[in-house]
Amino acid sequence: MKRRNFLQKAALGTVGITALGATASPGLSAPKRETIEEPTTSPSLPVVIATWDVKGATKKAWQSLQEGSSALDAVIAGCGVEEANAEGQSVGIGGLPDREGRVTLDACVMNEKGDYGAVLCMQNIMHPIAVAKKVMEDTPHVILAGIGAEEFAVSQGFKRENLLTEQSKIAWENWKKTAQYKPIINIENHDTIGMLAVDKNGIISGGCTTSGLAYKMAGRVGDSAIVGSGLFVDNEIGAATATGLGEEVLKTVGSYLIVELMRQGKSPQQACEQAILRIIEKTPNFEDFQVGYIAVNKKGETGAYSIHEGFVTTTYQDEKNTAITPDFYNKK
Ligand code: SD4
């Protein structure tokens, strides 16, 4: 359902409900109660939501859930579709390189137990999100970077391959003629895949995968693989993920902020909007860059918001796989 329609419905059919802010414990004062406006009709589970128009990826994740995969494996399968898509120039193979012509990938996953795994600045491996899961499950660490991440991936059976496609090499060579670095709203930053899934039992997991900003400095890492910034999951509450200029998401720890706002009773939509406002309040040059957030809560309600127009989200819910342009801040 389009967000506007959903909001209209929600506005018409809301009831005040009382929610417990905490569980009562002996010896502690009574739990704080607060009233939350809540729609009478809840969206159904499962749900898969992703940044950008990636219907192939959300479809794959949805099918994986139907076949009995965990929410985490569904996200990894879904994101893997875009990582293997050589036409997409920001994820996996075909990603635009750094200034030196190297494709370096960042990815992370987080599951319902709060486990997290990530790879940063990894080269030559097409599916960093699957390697991130291996880091989470099969190492004593949560992040591996650079050559260590690549060697670990190879030790786990991942194939080394050249990720710089002819198309991306030509784009880089053209860029070198001016070598001007300026993130371009919704063009350069157009397809980091952040994906969140809630299975039919309300189990939540998420992942985020990217080649980062095109023509970044060698060694630059953005928000996408950093817990709390590019992704955060709390199975009690919900999850959030980001796309856009990672430096700004990192400085405001955006995904964690959104989940904490939902914990305080905000809807996914309200929480995404507040996280964007936090960036705008702190960053006078917000006109120059894009950030977009998506979020989902335990019930399967979703939200999305960005600084500028043009951000797209895909939601697979109620047997419908729909890409929409959500509401945004900078309406002139
Ligand atoms: C980064 N957030 O590395 C990523 C870039 C992005 O689509 O979203 N690209 O900063």
Side-chain angles (χ1 to χ4, degrees):
M1 188 187 307
K2 285 220 170 22
R3 184 180 106 73
R4 199 165 291 120
N5 296 346
F6 174 72
L7 288 180
Q8 274 166 0
K9 268 206 170 178
L12 288 172
T14 53
V15 288
I17 64 151
T18 303
L20 290 181
T23 312
S25 306
L28 295 178
S29 57
K32 194 170 152 270
R33 284 168 184 272
E34 57 188 27
T35 299
I36 304 172
E37 285 296 308
E38 187 154 290
T40 46
T41 50
S42 274
S44 68
L45 295 176
V47 57
V48 178
I49 181 166
T51 55
W52 304 111
D53 186 351
V54 287
K55 292 197 203 72
T58 42
K59 184 175 177 194
K60 178 76 185 173
W62 174 268
Q63 285 169 342
S64 302
L65 286 174
Q66 305 300 328
E67 287 158 14
S69 287
S70 66
L72 180 66
D73 285 335
V75 163
I76 290 170
C79 290
V81 170
E82 283 301 316
E83 288 176 336
N85 173 11
E87 300 302 311
Q89 289 189 298
S90 186
V91 179
I93 190 160
L96 289 168
D98 67 13
R99 290 173 194 192
E100 320 303 323
R102 298 185 202 108
V103 179
T104 65
L105 306 178
D106 305 329
C108 75
V109 293
M110 200 163 179
N111 69 11
E112 73 279 5
K113 290 185 261 174
D115 296 328
Y116 157 75
V119 291
L120 311 184
C121 213
M122 183 177 71
Q123 293 184 59
N124 302 318
I125 307 288
M126 193 195 292
H127 290 297
I129 200 155
V131 184
K133 182 188 176 198
K134 287 275 181 195
V135 172
M136 179 176 92
E137 291 182 344
D138 298 336
T139 80
H141 308 302
V142 295
I143 300 177
L144 291 180
I147 189 68
E150 184 180 335
E151 285 172 355
F152 169 70
V154 171
S155 79
Q156 297 295 308
F158 290 85
K159 201 169 84 193
R160 262 197 183 100
E161 55 202 306
N162 175 25
L163 302 179
L164 186 64
T165 55
E166 210 34 51
Q167 191 193 0
S168 291
K169 191 167 171 217
I170 292 167
W172 170 58
E173 274 158 1
N174 282 336
W175 173 79
K176 279 199 294 184
K177 289 178 193 154
T178 61
Q180 268 179 5
Y181 180 71
K182 187 173 186 296
I184 302 166
I185 293 168
N186 296 331
I187 295 178
E188 179 180 277
N189 299 338
H190 88 287
D191 59 358
T192 289
I193 307 303
M195 187 182 284
L196 311 170
V198 190
D199 76 8
K200 63 179 187 326
N201 301 315
I203 301 289
I204 311 169
S205 291
C208 193
T209 181
T210 191
S211 56
L213 298 183
Y215 320 127
K216 61 196 174 185
M217 291 175 70
R220 181 264 185 192
V221 170
D223 62 306
S224 301
I226 303 299
V227 65
S229 291
L231 175 73
F232 195 70
V233 175
D234 183 327
N235 196 50
E236 300 295 311
I237 305 296
T241 187
T243 184
L245 187 62
E247 281 73 4
E248 301 303 330
V249 177
L250 282 161
K251 287 190 286 184
T252 48
V253 200
S255 293
Y256 183 72
L257 174 62
I258 290 169
V259 173
E260 289 307 301
L261 288 166
M262 292 195 288
R263 191 190 307 282
Q264 291 164 20
K266 298 281 183 278
S267 69
Q269 183 60 34
Q270 290 166 333
C272 288
E273 291 179 14
Q274 288 208 7
I276 289 292
L277 287 178
R278 184 71 59 91
I279 294 177
I280 283 160
E281 281 158 16
K282 290 186 179 294
T283 326
N285 70 329
F286 71 85
E287 305 253 335
D288 297 342
F289 60 85
Q290 173 70 303
V291 171
Y293 288 116
I294 61 172
V296 67
N297 67 14
K298 189 102 181 132
K299 290 181 287 189
E301 294 164 341
T302 60
Y305 201 62
S306 58
I307 299 177
H308 300 288
E309 191 172 14
F311 174 48
V312 176
T313 70
T314 309
T315 307
Y316 207 132
Q317 190 169 36
D318 297 326
E319 303 294 337
K320 283 194 226 75
N321 196 10
T322 321
I324 61 156
T325 296
D327 202 4
F328 60 99
Y329 174 81
N330 198 18
K331 296 173 211 136
K332 290 203 197 114

